[in-house]
Amino acid sequence: MALNNLNVLDIEAKHEQDFRRTILVVDDEPVNLRLLGNILKDEYDIAYAETGDEALLEIRTQKDFLSLVLLDLHMPGGNGYMVLDELKNNDELSNIPVIVLTSDNSAEVESLRRGAIDFLNKPYDRPEVIRARVRRAIELSIDRNIIDATGKDSLTGLLTKDYFFQYAREYDKFHPEQEVDAVVVNINKFHLINELYGRNYGDKVLCTIADGVRSFARGCGGVACRDHADRFYIYIEHQDNYDYLTKTLADRLIDITDKHDIHFRVGIYPDIYHSVNLEQRFDRALHASNSISKNSSQDVVAVYDNSMHEKELYEAKLLDSIEKALLDKQFNVVLQPKYDITGDEPRLCSAEVLVRWKHPELGFVRPDFFIPLFEENGRIKELDRFVWREAAKQIKRWKDMYGVTMPLSVNVSRVDIFDPDLLDFLQGILEENGLEPKDMHLEITETAYTDSVITIVDVVNSLREAGFKVEMDDFGKGYSSLNMLTSLPIDALKLDMGFIKGIAENNKDLSMVEFIVNVARFLEVPLIAEGVENSEQYLLLKKAGCDVIQGYYFSKPVSTSEFGHLIERSIER
Ligand code: C2E
Ligand code: MG
Ligand code: MG
């Protein structure tokens, strides 16, 4: 096993520490003992034994000092196999490496199977070869012991990622033709498990998954590790299906989850010729796992396929063009009207500002595709700031033109929450345009709240203290507990459109909406419904007590000039 730099240092330190190592030579023929002793005595201290029983006695008393045993197989008084079996089955002794001494070729495989790490053929006519193999055996065992001590993840006992990749690379080297699978296992909504049930329970879940992953990997002759948090990697020979893995994990989870469902997702990248590098293969397995909804209430397996590859290429192209797109101002904003429906007639009360990107080669790119990409690549701040500034300028233009202030709501990415200049920037653009904070509403997605409760509560509190109205976007997607909701600072709930889709056809969906209307009442905030597409949905929502509606039923997102006309008309009424 090759070592990385750090471990080489560790080993050197160890070499220096106990400079001369001890080797036990076991053989019933004194001439052999003398011969081996003479070959090795310049470099090592030598202990001798002439029978298996004597050898075991010696090993037990010297166990902390022995670096290697050279073991003859055929001896009176307990043969070599007996010694091997004793060592293998004793945790305290199983770390001591053994090289068997034999003139019988057929015994080699059997002794390796019983735990020997190498063999030397009698007669001993090539001292150099013997010395080299002894040296190598000792080094290998030090590697292994260091891996045992430091290459393990302290929580789960699985390998660390570094060692895992080292193993996997070695495996590839020796098995270039073997089809192998890179497998990633993630737990759905793990941070919520931690938050709702406590870290100890979270750790228990991780250890349970780790046990399952380990036992599956071992059973298939592979290795497993924990990358970080709730992400596990497995590297094994290609499997036709992963039913056994999902069953192993599900069975173990059942033992610890009596009332709550914990689910996981598995992504797989099979690769017959190791054509892409190891890290890339795990990236692709991760990609496959990320293609599965994190909200799934089932355990799902996804295999990386061509469509995922195409998507990755498309993403890479978009990533390459972000810089230029920002410089060339390829973005513009559209507005989707919001109507207050609490009175007899719907009344235009605001609009959501939505960004649009027309890529010079790829054409129109969907925001739900490029926004996450900008978020992941640290560019969302620039884009959002551009959108917010456009919004502020637009409110000011209409204020000058029509003498009314039409508040606009802008989306604030979860990433913006961590920007220490957020409040200053927002206040700055409002001041530039002679506006007040209440003129700009901020939509923050519910999942941002559930992802990082503490930071967001602080930030939202300071925004609200400064006078901004904060709307919780896509409510219902993020699993806020009722308990959590009552302590969250917000000015409006914006229902996720998934809830609206089925209300006309499905009583259960309608009851859910009615329930959420009650939650909004309880929190004393208005309920906004988005994605309302037809009159049935509109009427049901009105009847249920929803306050504001946004959706294709009233209007698709429109240009700023079209929205200007809508304001004009609403003033004329
Ligand atoms: P969102 O904030 O939940 O925005 C609502 C999305 O629903 C918009 O999609 C809108 O066009 C769409 N929509 C509105 N009414 C209907 C309807 O009746 N039926 C259907 N099927 N869809 C409707 P869009 O513009 O594609 O935006 C998608 C998401 O991208 C937004 O979801 C928001 O999360 C994000 N986004 C858009 N603009 C910005 C932005 O400037 N900054 C940030 N950070 N995120 C943005
Ligand atoms: Mg929004
Ligand atoms: Mg939304």
Side-chain angles (χ1 to χ4, degrees), residues 352 354 411 443 473-474 494 530:
E352 175 172 8
L354 296 160
N411 288 288
E443 293 192 9
D473 202 358
D474 307 323
K494 197 168 179 191
E530 66 179 323

Side-chain angles (χ1 to χ4, degrees), residues 479-499:
Y479 300 111
S480 301
S481 61
L482 280 179
N483 190 4
M484 215 189 267
L485 266 182
T486 49
S487 55
L488 289 180
I490 41 160
D491 299 286
L493 276 187
K494 197 168 179 191
L495 189 58
D496 183 59
M497 45 182 127
F499 288 100

Side-chain angles (χ1 to χ4, degrees), residues 336 352-356 367-368 371 380 384 387 411-413 443 473-474 497 530-533 550-553 557:
Q336 187 173 35
E352 175 172 8
V353 186
L354 296 160
V355 68
R356 294 291 175 258
D368 47 9
I371 296 284
I380 194 69
D384 274 350
V387 172
N411 288 288
V412 176
S413 153
E443 293 192 9
D473 202 358
D474 307 323
M497 45 182 127
E530 66 179 323
V532 181
E533 294 186 343
Q550 173 186 344
Y552 297 169
Y553 173 61

Side-chain angles (χ1 to χ4, degrees), residues 418-437:
F418 297 94
D419 172 10
D421 299 327
L422 175 67
L423 180 59
D424 280 353
F425 181 82
L426 286 167
Q427 283 173 322
I429 53 173
L430 291 177
E431 259 167 44
E432 278 166 27
N433 291 286
L435 302 173
E436 290 176 52

Side-chain angles (χ1 to χ4, degrees), residues 170-303:
E170 294 278 313
Y171 182 90
D172 281 1
K173 227 189 307 172
F174 293 109
H175 305 86
E177 299 288 321
Q178 175 65 51
E179 185 168 1
V180 271
D181 290 351
V183 183
V184 173
V185 179
N186 281 108
I187 302 169
N188 293 352
K189 299 264 162 203
F190 179 67
H191 63 279
L192 274 190
I193 297 174
N194 259 340
E195 214 152 274
L196 295 174
Y197 307 110
R199 274 199 89 86
N200 281 346
Y201 185 74
D203 284 352
K204 200 166 155 189
V205 172
L206 289 176
C207 290
T208 305
I209 293 277
D211 283 346
V213 157
R214 183 193 291 114
S215 113
F216 172 76
R218 275 191 187 153
C220 305
V223 279
C225 78
R226 184 165 74 120
D227 173 14
H228 64 264
D230 63 326
R231 189 188 296 168
F232 297 86
Y233 290 169
I234 307 173
Y235 195 58
I236 45 168
E237 284 179 17
H238 175 65
Q239 311 287 308
D240 286 334
N241 70 63
Y242 276 82
D243 297 349
Y244 185 63
L245 173 65
T246 50
K247 188 170 173 347
T248 305
L249 297 181
D251 284 352
R252 281 165 199 252
L253 283 172
I254 284 171
D255 289 341
I256 59 159
T257 57
D258 44 345
K259 48 188 183 304
H260 24 265
D261 286 344
I262 294 176
H263 293 283
F264 51 86
R265 47 192 198 283
V266 180
I268 296 152
Y269 181 74
D271 188 354
I272 188 157
Y273 294 121
H274 310 174
S275 51
V276 291
N277 73 38
L278 207 59
E279 279 80 1
Q280 246 173 327
R281 280 183 260 155
F282 277 94
D283 279 351
R284 289 183 177 182
L286 185 63
H287 210 83
S289 138
N290 285 341
S291 72
I292 302 165
S293 163
K294 296 178 179 60
N295 299 329
S296 173
S297 53
Q298 280 176 335
D299 307 321
V300 187
V301 177
V303 180

Side-chain angles (χ1 to χ4, degrees), residues 104 145 152 178 188 267 273 297 364 372 528:
D104 168 11
N145 291 342
K152 295 259 174 80
Q178 175 65 51
N188 293 352
Y273 294 121
S297 53
F364 178 74
I528 305 169

Side-chain angles (χ1 to χ4, degrees), residues 395 407-408 423 426-427 430-431 434-442 463-470:
I395 305 172
L408 293 180
L423 180 59
L426 286 167
Q427 283 173 322
L430 291 177
E431 259 167 44
L435 302 173
E436 290 176 52
K438 68 171 173 42
D439 302 335
M440 191 126 120
H441 300 184
L442 309 175
L463 290 167
R464 292 181 77 229
E465 274 161 26
F468 287 95
K469 298 269 175 254
V470 177

